[in-house]
Amino acid sequence: MEIKVMANILDKNDQLAAEVNAQLSRRGIFALNLLGSPGSGKTSLLERTIAALKDELRMAVIEGDLFTDKDADRIARQGVPVVQINTGGGCHLDANMVKGVLDRLDLENLDLLIIENVGNLVCPAEFNIGEDMKATVLSVTEGEDKPLKYPLVFKQAGAVVVNKIDLLPYTSFDLAAATEDITSINPQITLIPASCRTGEGLEGWFDWLRGRVAAKKAAAGRQGN
Amino acid sequence: MHEMAIAQGILDIALAAAAENDAATVARIKLQVGEMTEVEPEALTFCFAALAAGTAAAAAELEVEVLPLVGRCRDCGREFRVERFRFLCPGCGSAGVEIVSGRELRVEHLEVE
Ligand SMILES: [Zn+2]
């Protein structure tokens, strides 16, 4: 016997993601899903972001990691609330994991929640975790073939930070070619060349984030919260 | 290996549909996977076999149909196959292209006994 099913495999995850997003949206919190390879500089970008914005925005961080809490320690030293999720080897966060830690955050007093996903350009792209937007960090030491190799993390992202541009003279990374590939995958993306080491370009990233947070607040206000 | 999570999703859907239809075993599962997903069919088959062992779908064969990446221009209405992930309309050059197909991760049908 043949049974017509037509069921989306990730429906259960997407449903939980919608629940997470609803909980955050009710309070006008902008949630960012931060993606990138190991070593691309996600945690450094987070440290810079916290230092620049913590007096201006009420922020919290969820740290996804395979096994360790090293990154969470680094973030906690910056003086913002941080919750650790260990995936125990799993290659991505899913919505259920995020939902499980939401009650450990003071949601009533929050403007911005940044979720640092597991270091991996492939798997996290498939799983919504309740975010409003994804952002991807790509470092120039990874090579410019990454966008066409893993197009989904660039297609899904609202912004991409091309990190470590201070190292451009020492690599064969072609910034113009990478820009061309990324913007043809995602013509709407905000592309920010930057260096988390020198601080160059980061003002553009902070402004992008400020803009997203303000837009989310305005949208929540319109819904009469 | 996010294929493990996806394989678990497939197994859950297949076992629920089989139970609903009073079927004893699932013989075949037809999947539709879009070209712009990060799923490796071979890894998926491997993960599924591991998860399905001992269930009514233990002997199920996975058939994967890969759906091409197709975009539609919001400005001129043209539908086209997206090559090399270039989301620009080949007709009018517009960047306002939406994905019509290529992002599917779907159980299409089951064959059960
Ligand atoms: Zn067009």
Side-chain angles (χ1 to χ4, degrees):
Chain A
M1 180 176 56
E2 189 174 310
I3 309 171
K4 199 86 184 152
V5 183
M6 286 308 246
N8 288 322
I9 295 163
L10 297 181
D11 257 0
K12 221 186 261 174
N13 181 70
D14 287 346
Q15 215 176 314
L16 289 168
E19 286 173 29
V20 168
N21 191 266
Q23 276 199 58
L24 300 171
S25 293
R26 259 204 305 280
R27 299 164 173 100
I29 303 168
F30 177 71
L32 184 79
N33 183 359
L34 188 62
L35 303 162
S37 301
S40 59
K42 292 190 301 301
T43 310
S44 302
L45 182 66
L46 255 175
E47 287 174 318
R48 286 279 194 167
T49 305
I50 293 165
L53 299 180
K54 75 174 172 187
D55 295 333
E56 169 185 341
L57 299 172
R58 299 170 300 172
M59 319 174 47
V61 172
I62 294 177
E63 268 296 332
D65 199 277
L66 295 169
F67 298 106
T68 72
D69 56 5
K70 284 207 318 250
D71 288 346
D73 280 348
R74 268 174 75 180
I75 297 306
R77 282 198 292 273
Q78 306 288 312
V80 299
V82 54
V83 175
Q84 168 81 37
I85 299 175
N86 279 127
T87 61
C91 54
H92 61 274
L93 294 176
D94 64 32
N96 194 41
M97 297 174 192
V98 174
K99 193 174 157 65
V101 300
L102 276 190
D103 62 358
R104 289 161 58 188
L105 291 166
D106 179 13
L107 297 182
E108 301 308 326
N109 293 297
L110 212 55
D111 304 309
L112 169 62
L113 173 62
I114 301 182
I115 305 163
E116 182 180 343
N117 216 309
V118 177
N120 178 342
L121 278 180
V122 188
C123 316
E126 282 297 352
F127 293 82
N128 295 321
I129 53 177
E131 73 272 15
D132 293 296
M133 220 169 251
K134 295 179 174 71
T136 300
V137 183
L138 172 71
S139 58
V140 307
T141 49
E142 291 170 68
E144 82 228 3
D145 58 331
K146 290 292 178 297
L148 287 181
K149 219 165 162 186
Y150 306 110
L152 197 56
V153 280
F154 297 94
K155 185 68 181 162
Q156 312 277 62
V160 57
V161 173
V162 179
N163 189 23
K164 308 189 188 176
I165 54 166
D166 54 309
L167 299 181
L168 275 174
Y170 314 104
T171 68
S172 58
F173 191 90
D174 183 341
L175 186 58
T179 301
E180 157 79 24
D181 286 342
I182 292 168
T183 52
S184 80
I185 291 167
N186 183 350
Q188 277 78 36
I189 205 165
T190 301
L191 194 140
I192 305 162
S195 165
C196 290
R197 198 174 66 81
T198 66
E200 186 186 354
L202 287 177
E203 210 42 62
W205 164 250
F206 304 146
D207 281 344
W208 181 84
L209 260 182
R210 287 185 184 106
R212 298 336 308 158
V213 172
K216 187 69 192 271
K217 276 258 170 313
R222 274 199 300 280
Q223 279 157 22
N225 290 305
Chain B
M1 279 288 260
H2 61 306
E3 279 83 0
M4 205 50 125
I6 291 167
Q8 185 67 55
I10 295 168
L11 184 62
D12 291 346
I13 290 168
L15 293 179
E20 240 171 68
N21 290 275
D22 298 316
T25 59
V26 180
R28 198 176 176 75
I29 304 174
K30 166 79 185 288
L31 305 172
Q32 290 178 324
V33 175
E35 194 185 348
M36 200 179 192
T37 56
E38 305 283 3
V39 174
E40 187 70 59
E42 240 169 76
L44 189 61
T45 306
F46 176 82
C47 292
F48 183 83
L51 290 173
T55 74
E61 198 185 319
L62 288 191
E63 187 198 333
V64 179
E65 180 190 0
V66 176
L67 300 182
L69 184 56
V70 175
R72 182 193 294 123
C73 176
R74 278 190 223 105
D75 290 311
C76 73
R78 176 156 167 176
E79 271 195 23
F80 61 98
R81 175 81 187 263
V82 179
E83 308 277 359
R84 294 202 59 176
F85 307 106
R86 248 185 109 71
F87 284 88
L88 295 169
C89 174
C92 71
S94 166
V97 172
E98 59 196 4
I99 294 178
V100 177
S101 116
R103 287 285 299 127
E104 296 80 1
L105 270 178
R106 188 192 286 153
V107 177
E108 204 258 354
H109 78 256
L110 302 176
E111 284 164 35
V112 298
E113 277 146 25

